[in-house]
Amino acid sequence: MPGPHEETNKSAGLPASVPTPRNSPSAGRLPAILADLLDRLPDNRCADLEQVLRNARSPDDPQIGRFIAGQHAAGLAYQLAELVRIWRAEAPGLTGAALALAFATARSLPLLEPPQVVVSGPLGASLPARLTSGVAAEVIRSATESLMIASFAAHGARTIVEELERAIGRGIQVDLLLEESTGAAEAFAALPRGVRVWHRVESMGVLHAKFIAADRHTALLGSANLTDRALSSNIELGVVLRDPRLVESLVDHFRWLLEPENNIMRRA
């Protein structure tokens, strides 16, 4: 004799072998489980799920049960049954076409890469990180319109200077925000005249920020100055951000600092 959960599954068009998940919160979970499925499924399986949802009239449509029964990847049938359960509990009046549209919209959005740790100095096996020098060069190469670079100190760093020369040759606008008291600008003296060098207006403080921002999409932040030792042998720590929302805020802040009316930074 079937148990109560098997009866529920049958009435929803689900195979009896797929249990309805219990004891999990349902409020506001529909977007989250769609996101989980999007992360898990390859593109072709996402397209299959989207098509099934588009043709479903409700969470109790039998074709959804048949689709779930045909899934053999570990735990996937359970996850899809959870989708149906939450759909039924949170938005039973929502059509499958509406759910498919939400899923398709999420699929169309660019995936944001997580922050990446970068280091200088010894690189152990316990930390999944990359070396500052190589990442700094990659960030510079990724620019298509502009580069904003800040450093308290700078000397040597020939690889960075060469990458900037190539960027300028591609038509990239380069702004260098440098601390005047350290003579950092001398490291970039050979760059073409179109480069804009900025110093802080005389005050009690100094420019101590260190970052490389490519356009408004990628930024390397960290403790390393643009010096040979900081980029290679010093023990330094940084992070690469590839979330445009965060990078745009960073770039906008420093663009504001460069506005002449704010009297914070001045052209060298």
Side-chain angles (χ1 to χ4, degrees):
M1 184 173 180
H5 297 297
E6 291 177 318
E7 289 294 337
T8 301
N9 284 342
K10 287 179 180 178
S11 67
L14 299 177
S17 58
V18 180
T20 301
R22 295 178 294 171
N23 301 325
S24 49
S26 61
R29 290 195 59 208
L30 193 55
I33 195 165
L34 285 174
D36 288 343
L37 286 165
L38 183 61
D39 287 340
R40 173 175 182 170
L41 297 174
D43 284 345
N44 62 325
R45 301 305 289 154
C46 281
D48 291 343
L49 175 58
E50 185 181 318
Q51 185 62 39
V52 170
L53 291 173
R54 185 178 294 112
N55 295 329
R57 296 182 300 275
S58 73
D60 298 320
D61 195 304
Q63 67 177 312
I64 298 179
R66 292 193 293 270
F67 180 77
I68 292 175
Q71 306 308 309
H72 304 295
L76 180 55
Y78 181 94
Q79 194 173 10
L80 289 167
E82 177 78 338
L83 168 64
V84 171
R85 187 188 73 81
I86 294 172
W87 179 8
R88 187 185 302 115
E90 292 187 1
L94 191 68
T95 65
L99 210 58
L101 178 59
F103 195 65
T105 301
R107 287 182 64 206
S108 71
L109 297 174
L111 295 177
L112 298 177
E113 296 184 50
Q116 177 186 28
V117 174
V118 297
V119 299
S120 298
L123 185 60
S126 61
L127 184 66
R130 296 182 58 205
L131 293 175
T132 305
S133 55
V135 175
E138 285 184 7
V139 173
I140 293 172
R141 290 182 205 131
S142 74
T144 60
E145 296 180 359
S146 64
L147 283 163
M148 180 178 287
I149 299 175
S151 190
F152 173 74
H155 55 79
R158 185 59 197 166
T159 299
I160 299 300
V161 175
E162 290 172 353
E163 290 293 344
L164 290 177
E165 289 174 340
R166 296 187 187 100
I168 295 164
R170 301 194 307 269
I172 307 300
Q173 175 62 60
V174 177
D175 285 284
L176 298 174
L177 287 61
L178 305 170
E179 172 54 34
E180 188 172 17
S181 66
T182 64
E186 295 177 11
F188 306 99
L191 291 177
R193 295 175 60 86
V195 173
R196 297 186 295 200
V197 177
W198 302 82
H199 295 317
R200 183 165 181 177
V201 173
E202 289 187 16
S203 68
M204 295 295 292
V206 297
L207 187 148
H208 203 254
K210 297 107 177 176
F211 70 84
I212 301 174
D215 302 328
R216 298 168 67 83
H217 56 72
T218 306
L220 168 61
L221 317 178
S223 61
N225 286 299
L226 294 179
T227 68
D228 291 330
R229 288 185 177 180
L231 293 172
S232 57
S233 56
N234 287 357
I235 295 178
E236 307 277 1
L237 179 64
V239 64
V240 179
L241 302 177
R242 294 187 174 89
D243 183 340
R245 296 168 299 181
L246 297 176
V247 177
E248 287 173 359
S249 297
L250 167 73
V251 172
D252 286 344
H253 171 66
F254 278 87
R255 289 289 179 202
W256 176 81
L257 292 177
L258 300 184
E259 292 293 335
E261 59 268 26
N262 295 324
N263 198 36
I264 298 170
M265 304 290 294
R266 59 176 174 80
R267 288 285 297 272

